């Protein structure tokens, strides 16, 4: 089974780390400060180890990028681009600006003509970024119990990478909807804004998107 390197120590990294471990994957979480994960590690099981950003990228056959959007490019530099060559990178980041939401609508530091994932893909052209897990709260990322299977919208330039990520999405109890190439992240990243509106304006956080088809 493929090894998973998760760059991050926040709620997304911890949730996906536990999820991959539950599904039998070997997992490493990468942080600049191991002490942040000391408590979490105690309950995370034997499949999970902690390392630096670069150790984690070297360890993973598949990488998950789960850092704050404003520092995602810095994180790639800390990881070392050479450690990402040909790897599938599940990009869970969102380009949320350090500014207050307006009437529940988050501010982005990107615009609709260029997504964060396209910028990251340009920075590491020989890695295979796949946008996923960005449009739902961490509480529902792994095997959620909605009345029907929620849809995870994904995109990226490499077909094999998207297939690889779709298998994981299926294991995690979601249906993957492949919405095209990296440019489609211009539409998928703002789904996080839409998802957060009921939460930020009415404190309702228990929903997910579903694509209906004929
Ligand atoms: N929270 C959610 O429910 C949710 C849902 C969907 C998508 N997302 C997206 O997923 C990403 C992670 O979210 P999160 O809430 O788990 O955590 P977060 O608080 O947004 O980010 C924490 C991570 O960012 C890293 N970081 C902070 N400053 C850094 C810097 N200057 N250089 C390098 N790395 C730095 C931290 O690294 P260290 O460990 O080294 O401190 C930590 O691992 C975000 O882009 C977020 O928008 C979040």
């Amino acid at each position: 089974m493929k090894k998973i390197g998760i760059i991050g120590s926040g709620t997304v990294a911890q949730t996906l780390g536990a999820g991959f471990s539950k599904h039998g994957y070997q997992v490493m979480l990468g942080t600049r400060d191991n002490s942040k994960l000391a408590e979490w590690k105690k309950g995370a099981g034997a499949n999970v180890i902690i390392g630096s950003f670069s150790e984690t990228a070297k360890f993973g056959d598949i990488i998950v990028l789960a850092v704050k959007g404003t520092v995602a490019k810095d994180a790639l530099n800390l990881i070392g681009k050479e450690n990402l060559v040909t790897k599938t990178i599940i990009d869970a980041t969102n380009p949320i600006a350090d500014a207050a939401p307006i009437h529940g609508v988050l501010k982005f530091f990107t615009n609709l003509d260029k997504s964060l994932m396209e910028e990251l893909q340009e920075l590491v052209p020989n890695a295979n970024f796949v946008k996923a897990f960005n449009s739902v709260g961490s509480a529902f990322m792994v095997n959620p119990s909605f009345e029907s299977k929620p849809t995870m919208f994904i995109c990226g330039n490499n077909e094999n990478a998207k297939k690889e990520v779709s298998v994981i999405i299926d294991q995690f109890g979601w249906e993957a909807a492949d919405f095209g190439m990296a440019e489609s992240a211009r539409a998928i990243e703002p789904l996080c804004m839409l998802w957060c509106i009921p939460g930020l304006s009415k404190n309702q956080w228990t929903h997910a998107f579903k694509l209906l088809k004929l």
Side-chain angles (χ1 to χ4, degrees):
M1 197 175 261
K2 298 220 158 157
K3 291 189 283 182
I4 311 292
I6 302 179
I7 309 296
S9 61
T11 173
V12 173
Q14 294 183 14
T15 302
L16 292 178
F20 279 111
S21 173
K22 178 183 99 170
H23 285 285
Y25 292 88
Q26 295 285 314
V27 183
M28 184 184 275
L29 261 66
T31 174
R32 298 163 304 158
D33 176 3
N34 285 11
S35 68
K36 283 188 178 176
L37 290 166
E39 267 310 300
W40 176 82
K41 168 83 176 68
K42 288 181 193 164
N47 285 350
V48 181
I49 52 177
I50 313 292
S52 68
F53 279 7
S54 61
E55 285 164 346
T56 301
K58 281 182 198 149
F59 171 89
D61 302 309
I62 296 175
I63 309 300
V64 179
L65 189 61
V67 296
K68 197 168 179 277
T70 49
V71 299
K73 287 188 208 162
D74 303 333
L76 292 184
N77 288 324
L78 282 174
I79 289 165
K81 296 175 197 167
E82 67 283 3
N83 296 320
L84 298 172
V85 174
T86 72
K87 291 192 180 175
T88 294
I89 304 181
I90 299 176
D91 174 23
T93 65
N94 282 310
I96 299 171
D98 289 326
I102 298 174
H103 294 150
V105 181
L106 290 167
K107 282 214 166 224
F108 270 20
F109 58 80
T110 50
N111 63 50
L112 288 174
D113 295 322
K114 192 74 174 274
S115 62
L116 177 57
M117 192 181 81
E118 289 171 86
E119 290 181 20
L120 301 178
Q121 180 67 78
E122 276 173 17
L123 210 55
V124 198
N126 41 20
N128 302 316
F129 283 82
V130 178
K131 196 91 215 170
F133 292 102
N134 74 300
S135 317
V136 70
S138 59
F140 303 106
M141 287 179 176
V142 183
N143 302 108
S145 49
F146 292 109
E147 59 191 15
S148 62
K149 214 180 234 200
T151 306
M152 188 165 294
F153 296 90
I154 67 167
C155 67
N157 291 340
N158 186 284
E159 294 303 320
N160 284 336
K162 285 191 284 190
K163 283 191 189 126
E164 207 167 35
V165 176
S166 297
V167 170
I168 291 163
I169 288 170
D170 183 60
Q171 285 176 321
F172 282 23
W174 289 73
E175 62 179 17
D178 179 353
F179 263 49
M181 307 288 279
E183 290 77 6
S184 299
R186 299 172 195 180
I188 295 176
E189 287 173 358
L191 289 179
C192 123
M193 292 169 117
L194 188 63
W195 188 86
C196 285
I197 290 172
L200 293 170
S201 57
K202 293 185 267 182
N203 202 25
Q204 291 169 2
W205 299 98
T206 52
H207 46 273
F209 297 122
K210 173 87 183 163
L211 183 67
L212 301 178
K213 291 177 263 186
L214 276 181

PDB file of all heavy atoms in Angstrom, residues 5 17 24 57 59 62 80 106 111 136 147 156-157 162 177 179 186 194:
ATOM      1  N   GLY A   5       2.444  11.078   2.881  1.00  0.00           N
ATOM      2  CA  GLY A   5       3.148  12.147   3.596  1.00  0.00           C
ATOM      3  C   GLY A   5       2.258  13.371   3.662  1.00  0.00           C
ATOM      4  O   GLY A   5       1.925  13.952   2.623  1.00  0.00           O
ATOM      5  N   GLY A  17      -4.713  12.398   8.523  1.00  0.00           N
ATOM      6  CA  GLY A  17      -3.711  11.451   9.042  1.00  0.00           C
ATOM      7  C   GLY A  17      -4.391  10.274   9.726  1.00  0.00           C
ATOM      8  O   GLY A  17      -4.064   9.105   9.462  1.00  0.00           O
ATOM      9  N   GLY A  24      -5.426   1.800   6.809  1.00  0.00           N
ATOM     10  CA  GLY A  24      -4.292   0.885   6.676  1.00  0.00           C
ATOM     11  C   GLY A  24      -3.051   1.447   6.015  1.00  0.00           C
ATOM     12  O   GLY A  24      -2.092   0.715   5.777  1.00  0.00           O
ATOM     13  N   ALA A  57       7.893  14.663   2.882  1.00  0.00           N
ATOM     14  CA  ALA A  57       7.756  14.604   1.426  1.00  0.00           C
ATOM     15  C   ALA A  57       8.554  13.434   0.846  1.00  0.00           C
ATOM     16  O   ALA A  57       8.105  12.751  -0.080  1.00  0.00           O
ATOM     17  CB  ALA A  57       8.212  15.917   0.803  1.00  0.00           C
ATOM     18  N   PHE A  59       9.200  10.664   2.421  1.00  0.00           N
ATOM     19  CA  PHE A  59       8.529   9.439   2.888  1.00  0.00           C
ATOM     20  C   PHE A  59       7.327   9.087   2.005  1.00  0.00           C
ATOM     21  O   PHE A  59       7.093   7.928   1.672  1.00  0.00           O
ATOM     22  CB  PHE A  59       8.071   9.669   4.336  1.00  0.00           C
ATOM     23  CG  PHE A  59       7.185   8.603   4.914  1.00  0.00           C
ATOM     24  CD1 PHE A  59       7.728   7.500   5.571  1.00  0.00           C
ATOM     25  CD2 PHE A  59       5.791   8.687   4.815  1.00  0.00           C
ATOM     26  CE1 PHE A  59       6.904   6.519   6.121  1.00  0.00           C
ATOM     27  CE2 PHE A  59       4.966   7.710   5.359  1.00  0.00           C
ATOM     28  CZ  PHE A  59       5.526   6.624   6.012  1.00  0.00           C
ATOM     29  N   ILE A  62       2.429   9.438  -1.951  1.00  0.00           N
ATOM     30  CA  ILE A  62       1.410  10.460  -2.211  1.00  0.00           C
ATOM     31  C   ILE A  62       1.546  11.503  -1.105  1.00  0.00           C
ATOM     32  O   ILE A  62       1.724  11.159   0.067  1.00  0.00           O
ATOM     33  CB  ILE A  62      -0.010   9.844  -2.173  1.00  0.00           C
ATOM     34  CG1 ILE A  62      -0.167   8.813  -3.292  1.00  0.00           C
ATOM     35  CG2 ILE A  62      -1.081  10.930  -2.267  1.00  0.00           C
ATOM     36  CD1 ILE A  62      -1.486   8.057  -3.267  1.00  0.00           C
ATOM     37  N   GLY A  80      11.202  21.340  -0.229  1.00  0.00           N
ATOM     38  CA  GLY A  80      12.230  21.021  -1.232  1.00  0.00           C
ATOM     39  C   GLY A  80      11.544  20.464  -2.468  1.00  0.00           C
ATOM     40  O   GLY A  80      11.025  19.345  -2.441  1.00  0.00           O
ATOM     41  N   LEU A 106     -15.894  34.646   3.011  1.00  0.00           N
ATOM     42  CA  LEU A 106     -14.448  34.748   3.209  1.00  0.00           C
ATOM     43  C   LEU A 106     -13.806  35.602   2.126  1.00  0.00           C
ATOM     44  O   LEU A 106     -14.294  35.659   0.995  1.00  0.00           O
ATOM     45  CB  LEU A 106     -13.820  33.342   3.134  1.00  0.00           C
ATOM     46  CG  LEU A 106     -14.113  32.387   4.283  1.00  0.00           C
ATOM     47  CD1 LEU A 106     -13.684  30.971   3.887  1.00  0.00           C
ATOM     48  CD2 LEU A 106     -13.398  32.825   5.552  1.00  0.00           C
ATOM     49  N   ASN A 111      -7.602  35.675  -7.506  1.00  0.00           N
ATOM     50  CA  ASN A 111      -8.784  36.139  -8.228  1.00  0.00           C
ATOM     51  C   ASN A 111      -9.291  35.008  -9.125  1.00  0.00           C
ATOM     52  O   ASN A 111      -8.685  33.928  -9.172  1.00  0.00           O
ATOM     53  CB  ASN A 111      -8.472  37.412  -9.033  1.00  0.00           C
ATOM     54  CG  ASN A 111      -7.432  37.160 -10.094  1.00  0.00           C
ATOM     55  OD1 ASN A 111      -7.533  36.211 -10.874  1.00  0.00           O
ATOM     56  ND2 ASN A 111      -6.410  38.000 -10.136  1.00  0.00           N
ATOM     57  N   VAL A 136     -14.970  21.193   2.220  1.00  0.00           N
ATOM     58  CA  VAL A 136     -15.778  20.647   3.312  1.00  0.00           C
ATOM     59  C   VAL A 136     -14.981  20.793   4.604  1.00  0.00           C
ATOM     60  O   VAL A 136     -13.740  20.807   4.575  1.00  0.00           O
ATOM     61  CB  VAL A 136     -16.131  19.163   3.048  1.00  0.00           C
ATOM     62  CG1 VAL A 136     -14.910  18.260   3.162  1.00  0.00           C
ATOM     63  CG2 VAL A 136     -17.242  18.686   3.991  1.00  0.00           C
ATOM     64  N   GLU A 147     -26.989  11.645   4.620  1.00  0.00           N
ATOM     65  CA  GLU A 147     -28.037  10.712   4.159  1.00  0.00           C
ATOM     66  C   GLU A 147     -27.687  10.081   2.808  1.00  0.00           C
ATOM     67  O   GLU A 147     -28.153   8.999   2.489  1.00  0.00           O
ATOM     68  CB  GLU A 147     -29.399  11.414   4.098  1.00  0.00           C
ATOM     69  CG  GLU A 147     -29.412  12.613   3.182  1.00  0.00           C
ATOM     70  CD  GLU A 147     -30.680  13.461   3.332  1.00  0.00           C
ATOM     71  OE1 GLU A 147     -31.408  13.280   4.330  1.00  0.00           O
ATOM     72  OE2 GLU A 147     -30.915  14.296   2.440  1.00  0.00           O
ATOM     73  N   GLY A 156      -7.102  18.624 -11.836  1.00  0.00           N
ATOM     74  CA  GLY A 156      -5.642  18.548 -11.925  1.00  0.00           C
ATOM     75  C   GLY A 156      -5.251  18.129 -13.338  1.00  0.00           C
ATOM     76  O   GLY A 156      -6.092  17.646 -14.106  1.00  0.00           O
ATOM     77  N   ASN A 157      -3.964  18.296 -13.646  1.00  0.00           N
ATOM     78  CA  ASN A 157      -3.523  18.065 -15.026  1.00  0.00           C
ATOM     79  C   ASN A 157      -3.169  16.623 -15.337  1.00  0.00           C
ATOM     80  O   ASN A 157      -3.061  16.256 -16.504  1.00  0.00           O
ATOM     81  CB  ASN A 157      -2.302  18.943 -15.333  1.00  0.00           C
ATOM     82  CG  ASN A 157      -2.673  20.414 -15.383  1.00  0.00           C
ATOM     83  OD1 ASN A 157      -3.852  20.755 -15.566  1.00  0.00           O
ATOM     84  ND2 ASN A 157      -1.691  21.287 -15.220  1.00  0.00           N
ATOM     85  N   LYS A 162      -5.203  11.875 -10.704  1.00  0.00           N
ATOM     86  CA  LYS A 162      -6.619  12.055 -10.328  1.00  0.00           C
ATOM     87  C   LYS A 162      -7.274  10.706 -10.043  1.00  0.00           C
ATOM     88  O   LYS A 162      -8.090  10.593  -9.123  1.00  0.00           O
ATOM     89  CB  LYS A 162      -7.372  12.809 -11.431  1.00  0.00           C
ATOM     90  CG  LYS A 162      -7.053  14.288 -11.460  1.00  0.00           C
ATOM     91  CD  LYS A 162      -7.972  15.090 -12.356  1.00  0.00           C
ATOM     92  CE  LYS A 162      -7.662  14.919 -13.816  1.00  0.00           C
ATOM     93  NZ  LYS A 162      -8.389  15.858 -14.675  1.00  0.00           N
ATOM     94  N   ALA A 177     -15.809  13.759  -8.272  1.00  0.00           N
ATOM     95  CA  ALA A 177     -16.284  14.306  -9.555  1.00  0.00           C
ATOM     96  C   ALA A 177     -15.096  15.030 -10.188  1.00  0.00           C
ATOM     97  O   ALA A 177     -14.673  16.082  -9.683  1.00  0.00           O
ATOM     98  CB  ALA A 177     -17.449  15.250  -9.332  1.00  0.00           C
ATOM     99  N   PHE A 179     -13.529  17.390 -12.392  1.00  0.00           N
ATOM    100  CA  PHE A 179     -13.990  18.582 -13.102  1.00  0.00           C
ATOM    101  C   PHE A 179     -12.894  19.222 -13.955  1.00  0.00           C
ATOM    102  O   PHE A 179     -12.957  20.406 -14.244  1.00  0.00           O
ATOM    103  CB  PHE A 179     -14.603  19.587 -12.116  1.00  0.00           C
ATOM    104  CG  PHE A 179     -16.112  19.475 -12.051  1.00  0.00           C
ATOM    105  CD1 PHE A 179     -16.716  18.239 -11.885  1.00  0.00           C
ATOM    106  CD2 PHE A 179     -16.933  20.587 -12.177  1.00  0.00           C
ATOM    107  CE1 PHE A 179     -18.098  18.099 -11.846  1.00  0.00           C
ATOM    108  CE2 PHE A 179     -18.323  20.469 -12.145  1.00  0.00           C
ATOM    109  CZ  PHE A 179     -18.898  19.226 -11.970  1.00  0.00           C
ATOM    110  N   ARG A 186      -9.964  27.297 -10.176  1.00  0.00           N
ATOM    111  CA  ARG A 186     -10.521  28.655 -10.052  1.00  0.00           C
ATOM    112  C   ARG A 186     -11.974  28.591  -9.596  1.00  0.00           C
ATOM    113  O   ARG A 186     -12.482  29.538  -8.979  1.00  0.00           O
ATOM    114  CB  ARG A 186     -10.467  29.380 -11.410  1.00  0.00           C
ATOM    115  CG  ARG A 186      -9.065  29.552 -11.931  1.00  0.00           C
ATOM    116  CD  ARG A 186      -9.059  30.093 -13.348  1.00  0.00           C
ATOM    117  NE  ARG A 186      -7.759  29.923 -13.957  1.00  0.00           N
ATOM    118  CZ  ARG A 186      -7.446  30.300 -15.188  1.00  0.00           C
ATOM    119  NH1 ARG A 186      -8.365  30.883 -15.963  1.00  0.00           N
ATOM    120  NH2 ARG A 186      -6.238  30.096 -15.659  1.00  0.00           N
ATOM    121  N   LEU A 194     -18.377  29.136  -0.322  1.00  0.00           N
ATOM    122  CA  LEU A 194     -19.806  28.788  -0.291  1.00  0.00           C
ATOM    123  C   LEU A 194     -20.086  27.890   0.916  1.00  0.00           C
ATOM    124  O   LEU A 194     -21.059  28.090   1.645  1.00  0.00           O
ATOM    125  CB  LEU A 194     -20.172  28.079  -1.597  1.00  0.00           C
ATOM    126  CG  LEU A 194     -21.648  27.809  -1.837  1.00  0.00           C
ATOM    127  CD1 LEU A 194     -22.436  29.104  -1.932  1.00  0.00           C
ATOM    128  CD2 LEU A 194     -21.849  26.983  -3.111  1.00  0.00           C
TER     129      LEU A 194
END
